């Protein structure tokens, strides 16, 4: 594979039925590419958490997965409310998820810390009132 392959995903606001589709589709591709299970796990966890944040906090958005020879680059972007204090949002257990979301089992405040833990590179760009973009790199 000389050229990289890109997959694009729509992420719908508050859609808990198709939520997680982007990361499970990426999981299948990584398996087909023969990537090791340990690396697949890190990529899927990271993408799933970013995707769920776009569903829950970001008002929906778009996902991109670009497959290179030795790494995958995952971008999840939304045009939601943005993150006021990224340092605070990165802390374990910090969550602004409302009660109805917590009742569904989300809102443990571990998403961003887990992305950080499982990825080789994490870039967060966010502007209040404009939206949030996460760029996640996982090396094979
Ligand atoms: N895409 C996003 N848009 C707006 N706020 C976000 C986004 N992603 C995360 N946040 C903020 O960061 C907090 C922490 O995120 P996270 O660690 O994934 O925990 P959780 O999703 O369980 O609340 C969220 O509660 C929210 O306030
Ligand atoms: Mg989260």
């Amino acid at each position: 594979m000389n050229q990289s392959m890109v997959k694009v995903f729509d992420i719908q606001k508050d859609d808990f039925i198709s939520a997680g589709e982007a990361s499970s589709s990426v999981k299948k591709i990584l398996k087909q590419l023969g990537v090791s299970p340990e690396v697949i796990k890190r990529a899927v966890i990271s993408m799933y958490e970013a995707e769920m944040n776009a569903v829950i906090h970001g008002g929906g958005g778009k996902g991109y997965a670009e497959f290179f020879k030795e790494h995958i680059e995952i971008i999840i972007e939304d045009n939601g409310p943005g993150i006021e204090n990224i340092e605070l949002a990165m802390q374990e257990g910090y969550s602004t998820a409302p009660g109805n979301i917590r009742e569904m089992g989300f809102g443990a405040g571990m998403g961003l810390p887990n992305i950080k833990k499982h990825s080789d590179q994490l870039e967060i760009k966010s502007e209040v009132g404009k939206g949030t973009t996460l760029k996640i790199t996982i090396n094979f």
Side-chain angles (χ1 to χ4, degrees):
M1 193 167 56
N2 288 321
Q3 273 181 312
S4 66
M5 167 177 73
V6 187
K7 291 274 170 192
V8 183
F9 305 94
D10 272 317
I11 300 165
Q12 304 294 332
K13 171 188 164 75
D14 294 330
D15 180 354
F16 294 95
I17 292 166
S18 33
E21 268 177 13
S23 45
S24 49
S25 143
V26 162
K27 183 181 187 173
K28 275 188 207 137
I29 296 167
L30 290 173
K31 270 190 190 165
Q32 282 162 4
L33 292 173
V35 173
S36 79
E38 184 265 338
V39 171
I40 292 178
K41 193 177 139 194
R42 293 201 287 122
V44 171
I45 289 173
S46 301
M47 187 166 186
Y48 176 77
E49 290 295 349
E51 193 185 347
M52 290 314 295
N53 281 351
V55 170
I56 294 170
H57 309 291
K62 267 196 170 320
Y64 303 86
E66 188 164 5
F67 301 81
F68 295 89
K69 208 163 166 258
E70 312 232 328
H71 72 283
I72 178 173
E73 207 174 278
I74 297 159
I75 292 172
I76 306 286
E77 59 176 36
D78 66 60
N79 301 307
I83 303 173
E84 207 174 285
N85 185 337
I86 292 175
E87 206 184 313
L88 181 63
M90 289 299 299
Q91 283 177 20
E92 293 187 5
Y94 177 83
S95 178
T96 58
N100 63 318
I101 296 290
R102 287 171 192 263
E103 275 163 25
M104 286 192 282
F106 301 103
M110 291 304 292
L112 292 175
N114 272 331
I115 298 170
K116 179 83 190 158
K117 181 177 145 196
H118 290 291
S119 62
D120 290 292
Q121 230 177 291
L122 169 63
E123 218 177 88
I124 304 177
K125 283 195 187 134
S126 192
E127 212 179 313
V128 173
K130 293 239 165 106
T132 301
T133 302
L134 262 69
K135 187 171 145 191
I136 300 161
T137 306
I138 314 270
N139 298 328
F140 296 161

